[in-house]
Amino acid sequence: MENKVKNAGTARLEVAGRTVDLPVYSGTHGPNVIDIRKLYAETDHFTLDPGFTSTGSCESQITFIDGDEGILLHRGYPIEQLAEKSNYLELCYLLLNGELPSKTQFDTFSNEVRNHTLLHTQQDKFFEGFRRDSHPMAMLTGAVGGMAAFYPGAMGNEDPEERRISSIRLISKMPTIAARCMKYNLGQRFVDPQNKLSYSENFLNMCFSVTAEDYEINPILARAMDRFFMLHADHEQNASTSTVRLVASSGAHPFAAIAAGVASLWGPSHGGANEAALRQLREIGSLDKVPEFVKMAKDKSSGIRLMGFGHRVYKNYDPRAKVMQKTCYEVLDALDLHDHPLLKVAMELERIALQDEYFIEKKLYPNVDFYSGIILEAMGFPTKMFTVLFAVARTVGWIAQLSEMLEDPTQKIGRPRQIYTGAAMRDYAPITHR
Ligand code: SDX
């Protein structure tokens, strides 16, 4: 990766009687940054920014979000255009390589992905160690980490070709592993990939087909699945992507880093919100309960938040949520579920929240997770599989960001500092003197 920041002057800081001029850089879009790399050396001060609300961790050329305008670009292309005109595998190529593929490049890439869908047979035995009712995110975290045992050579992150093959293996095998998590929960036989099917068709077939009968893939659902994958592919330095970067910065096995990303995504504040949002809609249950629920979500002492609402970066409507809402209508139409009860509750929740002073003042809008649960529920996925599907989609983003970090000439092992407020230095007291 070639660093492309441009000089944009300096920022002068006066602290503890010292004055330091810190370089300011500008990028293609978004706020300028103040480079504080030398701050400690020149002022004996750290910065403090819990949650990294004002702190950039890296230079990146993959994805850009404008939270105020509700803009999401992947390598410069707006998500709305990609969702309408592209497909998930083409987006994978774009995120990994920086440009949209030619027909030949796309065919080569698709065939490579298609030819790595099978798992080592020993990996199937891995699942047998889990209880049947294990949460699929627990199984996914274990299975992805376990992949490092099958590809020890991938540890050689220096070799770009090794990294490229690892990318292909992960993109290709995640749907197979995810579908196995679902089948294991259901107590059904694993279904192997069929390489004649498209990426999304293959995934639906591995999840829903059973040996007892033929499974006919609904093209509208396959397109909806593909669009779901596209909308979740990458999203700047979110919690799970930052986790992957931090783990990989030590030189750890890339599959172990991706497993750490899966673990981070699981949380209900992050990727786990789609499962939590659907459970919440089900808990509300009917339109008449919505006002009371919104009241509780505004009352901090209730400990309740409106899941699928709010975002660290978007202070406007999440552009992915708009596409997800449109896809939701398409799926419900295709399944003749127009009056899906949870959709009515979701739409009423959205209507009330968007008019309510609390949500307006705090700039809380529906995010990518608000409508996705309804789509997945309508497609027949068990609720606890929702975040697994998010992880399948986000794998390419994690890999692209991990590779970009390894190719960044300024890359170092991540090691944040702190402000210490614990006990002052003191001598050990023998137990007889305590
Ligand atoms: C994803 O980072 C990414 O890009 C993530 C993601 C991706 O693609 O990788 O976009 C995917 O994780 C989407 C977010 C999914 N999470 C949820 O839907 C869970 C519900 N939302 C939140 O908990 C919250 O909005 C976060 C975690 C998403 C963002 O939290 P922030 O930026 O740390 O903001 P905050 O918690 O400080 O909230 C700001 C204020 C607080 O009130 P005050 O302290 O100012 O009085 O807004 C309130 C919060 O109490 N608030 C909510 C709320 N979200 C924030 N109140 C009610 N319901 C909510 N959903």
Side-chain angles (χ1 to χ4, degrees):
M1 166 187 164
E2 180 203 344
N3 297 122
K4 293 184 178 173
V5 292
K6 295 188 283 294
N7 288 323
T10 58
R12 173 154 294 181
L13 177 68
E14 288 182 10
V15 61
R18 294 186 196 181
T19 302
V20 59
D21 286 336
L22 298 167
V24 175
Y25 301 130
S26 62
T28 314
H29 296 304
N32 287 354
V33 297
I34 300 171
D35 183 335
I36 57 168
R37 266 172 277 215
K38 299 269 185 282
L39 182 73
Y40 177 57
E42 295 187 12
T43 69
D44 271 342
H45 282 62
F46 295 141
T47 59
L48 183 65
D49 183 10
F52 310 113
T53 51
S54 303
T55 299
S57 62
C58 62
E59 175 184 346
S60 181
Q61 296 159 13
I62 300 173
T63 292
F64 173 72
I65 303 170
D66 182 326
D68 294 329
E69 299 301 320
I71 291 170
L72 168 56
L73 307 177
H74 289 313
R75 300 286 189 181
Y77 296 99
I79 188 61
E80 297 86 347
Q81 293 183 29
L82 291 165
E84 196 59 40
K85 299 171 182 165
S86 185
N87 59 68
Y88 180 68
L89 275 190
E90 184 176 77
L91 177 57
C92 287
Y93 185 96
L94 175 66
L95 290 171
L96 291 170
N97 297 289
E99 296 296 338
L100 287 168
S102 65
K103 175 89 174 58
T104 310
Q105 289 167 328
F106 179 69
D107 292 345
T108 305
F109 179 74
S110 308
N111 289 332
E112 273 206 292
V113 170
R114 207 168 272 134
N115 293 331
H116 284 81
T117 51
L118 284 170
L119 300 185
H120 189 295
T121 48
Q122 285 297 102
Q123 275 187 276
D124 279 355
K125 292 187 173 29
F126 199 91
F127 291 92
E128 288 159 25
F130 289 109
R131 289 166 41 132
R132 279 284 177 184
D133 61 354
S134 301
H135 195 290
M137 280 300 281
M139 292 194 274
L140 187 69
T141 305
V144 174
M147 278 179 74
F150 290 87
Y151 303 99
M155 189 70 179
N157 274 320
E158 299 72 36
D159 175 1
E161 180 53 18
E162 187 62 53
R163 255 203 326 273
R164 194 187 69 79
I165 286 292
S166 292
S167 307
I168 296 285
R169 281 186 174 129
L170 279 162
I171 293 168
S172 183
K173 296 179 194 303
M174 280 298 264
T176 310
I177 295 172
R180 273 150 163 68
C181 292
M182 180 169 154
K183 286 300 195 184
Y184 191 74
N185 279 155
L186 293 170
Q188 292 178 2
R189 282 186 194 285
F190 292 160
V191 175
D192 274 339
Q194 294 294 323
N195 290 348
K196 63 179 185 292
L197 299 174
S198 74
Y199 192 85
S200 299
E201 289 170 342
N202 212 353
F203 180 61
L204 292 176
N205 186 56
M206 289 189 282
C207 289
F208 293 109
S209 74
V210 289
T211 49
E213 54 192 49
D214 292 338
Y215 172 70
E216 199 178 319
I217 294 164
N218 179 327
I220 295 175
L221 301 191
R223 178 67 186 139
M225 191 79 258
D226 197 78
R227 195 174 291 155
F228 174 94
F229 287 149
M230 293 180 77
L231 295 175
H232 289 82
D234 190 51
H235 213 238
E236 285 193 2
Q237 306 311 318
N238 57 84
S240 54
T241 298
S242 299
T243 302
V244 169
R245 278 179 173 256
L246 190 57
V247 168
S249 72
S250 72
H253 195 295
F255 293 0
I258 300 299
V262 173
S264 170
L265 187 75
W266 191 359
S269 289
H270 190 13
N274 56 16
E275 175 181 347
L278 193 92
R279 292 189 193 285
Q280 204 166 66
L281 290 176
R282 212 179 271 132
E283 186 192 330
I284 297 170
S286 58
L287 293 180
D288 60 315
K289 300 254 185 40
V290 169
E292 175 55 28
F293 188 83
V294 169
K295 190 162 163 255
M296 285 194 294
K298 289 157 54 177
D299 169 10
K300 272 206 181 43
S301 63
S302 74
I304 287 173
R305 281 193 170 190
L306 203 43
M307 301 315 279
F309 253 76
H311 197 278
R312 170 62 59 75
V313 176
Y314 289 122
K315 302 308 171 190
N316 197 325
Y317 219 104
D318 182 335
R320 301 169 297 174
K322 286 183 181 160
V323 182
M324 199 65 85
Q325 186 185 53
K326 180 167 168 277
T327 306
C328 188
Y329 296 147
E330 288 169 5
V331 167
L332 296 180
D333 278 348
L335 299 173
D336 202 17
L337 292 171
H338 314 281
D339 52 359
H340 191 296
L342 294 187
L343 177 65
K344 290 189 178 341
V345 173
M347 290 173 70
E348 180 63 3
L349 209 46
E350 180 185 16
R351 186 186 68 78
I352 292 180
L354 293 183
Q355 290 171 352
D356 186 288
E357 200 37 51
Y358 173 93
F359 292 90
I360 293 169
E361 184 254 327
K362 293 181 190 300
K363 298 184 178 177
L364 301 175
Y365 290 85
N367 60 48
V368 69
D369 295 310
F370 189 65
Y371 281 100
S372 58
I374 299 172
I375 297 174
L376 300 177
E377 147 119 339
M379 292 172 77
F381 286 104
T383 307
K384 62 184 184 178
M385 272 295 290
F386 290 4
T387 311
V388 170
L389 305 183
F390 191 153
V392 171
R394 184 53 58 90
T395 295
V396 65
W398 290 329
I399 296 164
Q401 298 272 351
L402 183 159
S403 300
E404 182 178 68
M405 181 199 69
L406 295 174
E407 289 157 11
D408 182 340
T410 65
Q411 186 259 333
K412 287 173 174 291
I413 185 170
R415 205 271 184 229
R417 303 305 300 267
Q418 63 174 21
I419 181 166
Y420 175 71
T421 56
M425 191 188 296
R426 52 185 169 168
D427 293 328
Y428 181 81
I431 194 161
T432 51
H433 289 60
R434 288 177 215 156

